[in-house]
Structure formats: structure tokens, C-alpha cells
Amino acid sequence: MSPARGDPSVSGIEVTGEWVRTVAAGVEKFSADSRESARTVLRDAGLAEADPGEWYSLAGYINAVATIHDLVGDQAVHALGQRVARTVPFPDDAESVPAALAALDEACRAGHRGGDLGGYAFRQIGDDDGRVECRTPYPCAFDRGIVEGTAVAHADGFVCVCEVGACRTDGADRCTYEVSW
């Protein structure tokens, strides 16, 4: 079973309402038809009016994001991931791209509780590039957006994110992204 469709490993894990509200706000930027369809998905999942101070089922949230992905595709869900990355608080010392990507796992874990959701591992390769391995239950496009959004928010110019190697969509246990800045 795809992790983005309620894999039991996310049972009992919760996500903060801040993450949920960020996706709901991003949906408001979709085209009219896509926006209404995505609103319905969030409403049906009980996530349309999320309170940032509350916690919500990660399985329900992932299923909603995955259903939105099915409706609107990779680009829109990628944009939602970017939006989350701009909202998630990072440690004060994460001022550069490598520092922010190294702190991404910690920043994301702060928005989840109740179990191990997997995570993000950064390895710097050169002065201006590195790799991020994503082992989360989120759709690949959402994770790619989180990685890219994190890099863009901490860069002073160009950022490129490319998938390299195996992908969860193809049955792998992770997605790996090469990031250059």
C-alpha cells in the first residue's frame, strides 16, 4: 500500500494545524475548478477550518494531500509543499541553504507528534550543492516542494532541485533530490 494512501505506519501520528492551514491557504491559489475540488477534499476530511493550535490525524492529512494530488497533479502539490516550507519555523542559525536543509528534518518533526513519520537527511556535496533523502509518507511532489521551498527561502539566488535515483512512486523507500544553489 502506498504511504500516501494511509499506510498503517502513520497510524497515531498527528500533524499540527499550522501545516494543515498552510495547505488550505495554498488551495485558495488554485484555479476556480481545482480550488473548489480541493476545498471539498479538505472539508470532507475535516481539515478545511483547521486551528493552528490543534493537532490532526496525519493519515487523514496525507490522504487529503494525495487526493488533491490526484485531482490537480504534481505542480500544484509541489507548490503546496513550497508553501509549507515557507511557513515552518527553522532554527535561528539556519541562515544558509546548507544550514536550512540540514535543519529540515528537525523543523518538520516539530510539526508532527505521536510516532516516527520518517524524515529528511541532507548531505552537502560541494560548496553549492548537496542531496536530500526524503523518507516520509507525503506524496513525492509535496516533499520535492518542501525541499525546494526550504532552499529558495534561504538562498540568495538560483536554486535547482532534481530527483536522482530511485523514487517512492516506483516502489523505493525514499526519494533523493540533488539541490544546487
Side-chain angles (χ1 to χ4, degrees):
M1 176 181 285
S2 166
R5 292 295 184 195
D7 185 296
S9 65
V10 300
S11 179
I13 301 176
E14 295 177 309
V15 61
T16 181
E18 184 176 4
W19 278 56
V20 177
R21 283 184 68 113
T22 299
V23 166
V27 160
E28 294 305 314
K29 302 296 184 184
F30 289 178
S31 66
D33 288 344
S34 295
R35 179 174 52 244
E36 194 51 45
S37 296
R39 282 178 180 163
T40 300
V41 169
L42 292 172
R43 209 172 16 256
D44 290 351
L47 301 172
E49 301 295 326
D51 180 340
E54 296 295 322
W55 292 88
Y56 298 85
S57 162
L58 180 61
Y61 179 64
I62 288 170
N63 284 333
V65 172
T67 301
I68 291 169
H69 177 268
D70 292 346
L71 293 169
V72 300
D74 278 351
Q75 296 295 7
V77 171
H78 175 262
L80 293 176
Q82 287 179 309
R83 191 175 186 92
V84 167
R86 290 192 308 267
T87 305
V88 170
F90 280 84
D92 291 339
D93 61 345
E95 296 176 357
S96 65
V97 174
L101 291 174
L104 179 58
D105 187 65
E106 176 187 339
C108 288
R109 286 182 186 278
H112 299 80
R113 71 178 186 188
D116 184 10
L117 77 140
Y120 303 88
F122 171 70
R123 179 173 50 96
Q124 190 158 355
I125 296 171
D127 290 342
D128 54 4
D129 66 320
R131 288 199 173 169
V132 178
E133 283 190 357
C134 304
R135 294 177 190 259
T136 77
Y138 289 111
C140 302
F142 192 73
D143 267 343
R144 186 170 38 85
I146 288 174
V147 169
E148 185 172 325
T150 299
V152 167
H154 295 88
D156 58 3
F158 173 84
V159 168
C160 181
V161 176
C162 299
E163 185 176 65
V164 294
C167 175
R168 291 189 313 260
T169 301
D170 300 324
D173 66 343
R174 70 185 174 285
C175 290
T176 303
Y177 300 103
E178 189 170 87
V179 184
S180 55
W181 57 90

